[in-house]
Amino acid sequence: MGQGVTKGWRGSLWRSMEHRRSVGQERPGGKSVGQEGSVGGSVGQQGSEGGEGSPLQQQVEAMVREGRALAVLGWWELLRGLLVFALCSHPRLQQDPEAFLRASRRVLGARLWRALLSVSLWGQFAVGRSPAAVQELGQRLRARGLRPLLALPIEGEGPDGEGEEWFEQNCGAALECVGLAAASGPEPAMQLKITALVSQRLCEKISLRLAEPEGAGLNPEQVAAMLGGQVPGLTWLSPEENEHLGRGLRRLERVAQAAVSRDVRVLVDAEMSHLNPALSCLTWGLTWRHNRDGPRARVWHTWQAYLRVHLAHLAGLPEGEWHTWHTWAHLGTPGHTWQAYLRATEWELRAHLARVGGAGLSCGVKLVRGAYLAQEQGRARARGCPAPTWDTPEQTSASYERCLQLLLSALARPRSRLSLMAATHNEESALAALRGLSRVPPGSVCFGQLQGMGEHLSLALGAGGLPVYKSVALGPPEVTIPYLARRAAENRGALGGARRERQLLWAELRRRLRPWA
């Protein structure tokens, strides 16, 4: 679908790049250090032509630095991008994006509110759930060398709390997302939040229990058995909680089975750090059931690089003990062992890879910086403890780089069954992954950015023949408010990737208005 268009577009971009170099119009690019927060390829994976330092790789890097791939955007896409970045820098929206969006709906009324969002935040980052809307988006992305990654942005409580009816509705939406993803073209994939199907309160209770000396009585085999229909009988849960856990696990399994049957990869999102132990535990059960057959993972984990490594806690821990330390008991009490877990992203990732390899499973890793920065810091302030995240964008970038190099090294090992999505809007991180592709097997790495963000990066990588997924929220504006609020928070201010992207959009607009310059 759109293959001829894509090839022609790529060829014209390369020719345009060469022409600009010949007349001395190439300009140096900038460096992005933003803390943003999405399956394998060509550049660096086809022998010497795409190896490290190859002409093709250098062309991709030059396109990223210059932002010239933005030439493919339509006028409205370009202007809307500038509008959205301006909105995200507004003080009222910066203060509390989610509260601002909900208040604006009450003031403007549902119809006008939806109309304004459709030409701004929602139109930039999301798509409706109709098959026609998703198909149109998929065709537009694939014509540009990109792929859709449909994300169901539902999490936490519904309008009437955490009733079973709410979770069943979410399950239906997730199954619908599977069908839409399967119809979107080759190599389909989707994102899923476990708290859309299982109570957030129950996940927090499980996370706390996992930290206690006696543990939670859960391991991957037991979770897999519950996913397969075994009735939970955990003594530390009430009968009602056991019943809800069983229903939630059956919902998860229904979605996973539907995705596997239609060859749709499920990328399970990480969420708030105090919930992640439970989410990891349940995802492990899905991995245990569905990642045994075949060379590639069907269920993927997400790792957040903005969580710190507590080296004081881990100093001197032998490599042989990483597996034991990782086995579900990693949250601890607030302000003590809990922080040791939160600051251990790199070590947790290393232990995760060892555990997967020891179990003979395929492993899919989506590496992100993290999308809950404001919430994590706010929760830490309310509890009077240090934030679990790194203090600066530079520290987060360094953590991402270390995790990335760890994963690339693991991919380079013989008979590796690892797949990696380098999900980042940071130019230096993406280019570091690009340079490492010559070391890894073909088809083992892809890239991911959010729809409406990092367009210059996505389009340049896609033009180089790399698999690039654009994560797009699926649903009406009312459902996507928390998602849109996080996108607004990520793009606010004048620092990092948001400033860089805004500069590139303005440069593209000036090129169009003054083509003779």
Side-chain angles (χ1 to χ4, degrees):
M1 180 175 60
Q3 185 177 7
V5 175
T6 303
K7 288 182 178 179
W9 169 65
R10 290 174 182 162
S12 65
L13 277 176
W14 296 135
R15 288 191 295 272
S16 177
M17 285 286 296
E18 291 301 327
H19 172 70
R20 280 191 291 273
R21 288 195 184 90
S22 67
V23 297
Q25 292 184 357
E26 185 175 356
R27 298 183 302 171
K31 180 177 180 179
S32 169
V33 291
Q35 286 200 35
E36 90 295 335
S38 321
V39 191
S42 297
V43 178
Q45 300 191 44
Q46 293 179 341
S48 60
E49 181 187 2
E52 188 169 354
S54 70
L56 186 57
Q57 178 185 303
Q58 291 171 4
Q59 285 180 314
V60 172
E61 290 199 29
M63 289 184 69
V64 170
R65 303 293 191 191
E66 295 178 346
R68 295 289 182 172
L70 294 175
V72 77
L73 295 181
W75 275 95
W76 170 239
E77 292 174 293
L78 182 62
L79 294 173
R80 184 179 61 194
L82 290 168
L83 170 64
V84 167
F85 280 118
L87 285 174
C88 291
S89 65
H90 193 280
R92 292 292 300 275
L93 191 58
Q94 285 185 23
Q95 188 175 7
D96 190 340
E98 186 167 349
F100 178 84
L101 289 172
R102 295 189 186 280
S104 65
R105 187 178 188 276
R106 292 192 296 269
V107 172
L108 298 173
R111 178 175 294 182
L112 180 58
W113 180 80
R114 288 172 63 96
L116 291 175
L117 273 188
S118 68
V119 297
S120 56
L121 287 171
W122 185 83
Q124 182 80 355
F125 302 122
V127 67
R129 275 164 47 180
S130 71
V134 175
Q135 183 180 27
E136 190 275 333
L137 172 70
Q139 289 176 342
R140 186 170 72 251
L141 289 176
R142 289 184 183 277
R144 296 172 176 178
L146 310 175
R147 303 173 183 178
L149 173 61
L150 299 184
L152 196 64
I154 305 171
E155 57 188 297
E157 294 187 0
D160 301 316
E162 294 189 324
E164 288 296 331
E165 184 179 355
W166 162 253
F167 292 113
E168 287 296 328
Q169 289 176 356
N170 294 344
C171 183
L175 292 171
E176 182 183 356
C177 184
V178 171
L180 292 170
S184 68
E187 300 289 329
M190 63 173 285
Q191 291 173 242
L192 179 67
K193 296 185 182 295
I194 286 181
T195 56
L197 305 177
V198 181
S199 164
Q200 192 173 91
R201 295 191 186 96
L202 181 59
C203 288
E204 185 169 5
K205 185 171 183 177
I206 293 173
S207 292
L208 289 169
R209 181 72 183 192
L210 287 168
E212 296 182 6
E214 62 271 24
L218 290 172
N219 58 42
E221 298 93 332
Q222 290 170 320
V223 176
M226 294 178 192
L227 286 162
Q230 179 179 302
V231 178
L234 301 174
T235 57
W236 46 273
L237 291 181
S238 68
E240 294 77 15
E241 289 171 330
N242 271 309
E243 182 180 0
H244 172 75
L245 178 60
R247 290 180 176 178
L249 291 174
R250 287 193 292 274
R251 284 188 285 264
L252 275 173
E253 180 63 12
R254 283 172 59 196
V255 175
Q257 283 187 350
V260 168
S261 68
R262 305 195 67 175
D263 200 26
V264 176
R265 298 170 190 178
V266 179
L267 281 67
V268 179
D269 280 335
E271 301 183 38
M272 290 286 287
S273 54
H274 68 288
L275 302 174
N276 282 344
L279 306 185
S280 178
C281 179
L282 301 185
T283 305
W284 256 109
L286 290 171
T287 301
W288 206 261
R289 286 181 64 83
H290 298 291
N291 284 6
R292 290 198 171 276
D293 300 327
R296 293 295 163 82
R298 295 179 173 122
V299 178
W300 291 47
H301 291 242
T302 298
W303 290 86
Q304 299 160 311
Y306 71 171
L307 299 179
R308 303 191 195 191
V309 178
H310 196 303
L311 293 178
H313 175 80
L314 294 171
L317 185 65
E319 185 170 354
E321 294 181 20
W322 289 339
H323 166 85
T324 304
W325 178 73
H326 175 70
T327 308
W328 312 128
H330 39 21
L331 184 62
T333 55
H336 185 52
T337 313
W338 174 70
Q339 291 181 351
Y341 162 70
L342 295 177
R343 299 171 183 179
T345 300
E346 299 155 55
W347 297 86
E348 282 284 319
L349 181 55
R350 192 184 297 270
H352 176 79
L353 295 175
R355 186 178 179 87
V356 169
L361 304 174
S362 298
C363 176
V365 171
K366 175 187 167 192
L367 182 62
V368 303
R369 274 170 166 71
Y372 295 88
L373 182 63
Q375 294 95 316
E376 294 282 8
Q377 293 176 342
R379 187 173 188 273
R381 284 193 299 269
R383 297 167 68 86
C385 58
T389 58
W390 292 105
D391 297 325
T392 67
E394 290 81 5
Q395 289 176 320
T396 297
S397 292
S399 175
Y400 192 98
E401 173 73 14
R402 291 191 295 269
C403 291
L404 176 63
Q405 294 305 321
L406 171 64
L407 290 163
L408 290 172
S409 296
L411 279 164
R413 293 174 189 149
R415 297 182 297 279
S416 173
R417 296 175 67 187
L418 173 64
S419 298
L420 167 65
M421 175 180 281
T424 179
H425 306 109
N426 182 288
E427 286 182 15
E428 299 308 315
S429 297
L431 294 178
L434 175 66
R435 297 180 193 115
L437 293 184
S438 59
R439 299 157 42 195
V440 304
S444 59
V445 177
C446 68
F447 293 80
Q449 287 86 41
L450 295 165
Q451 173 71 356
M453 290 175 61
E455 298 296 272
H456 70 293
L457 188 56
S458 305
L459 292 167
L461 292 168
L466 280 161
V468 182
Y469 284 81
K470 296 296 283 185
S471 174
V472 54
L474 188 66
E478 291 83 358
V479 172
T480 58
I481 282 179
Y483 180 92
L484 297 177
R486 285 198 296 277
R487 302 293 79 80
E490 288 171 1
N491 286 289
R492 65 191 176 192
L495 298 175
R499 179 176 61 184
R500 165 77 169 144
E501 196 160 354
R502 194 160 55 235
Q503 290 171 344
L504 291 173
L505 289 171
W506 278 114
E508 175 59 28
L509 181 61
R510 287 192 294 270
R511 279 194 290 267
R512 296 186 186 191
L513 295 176
R514 299 194 305 166
W516 59 87

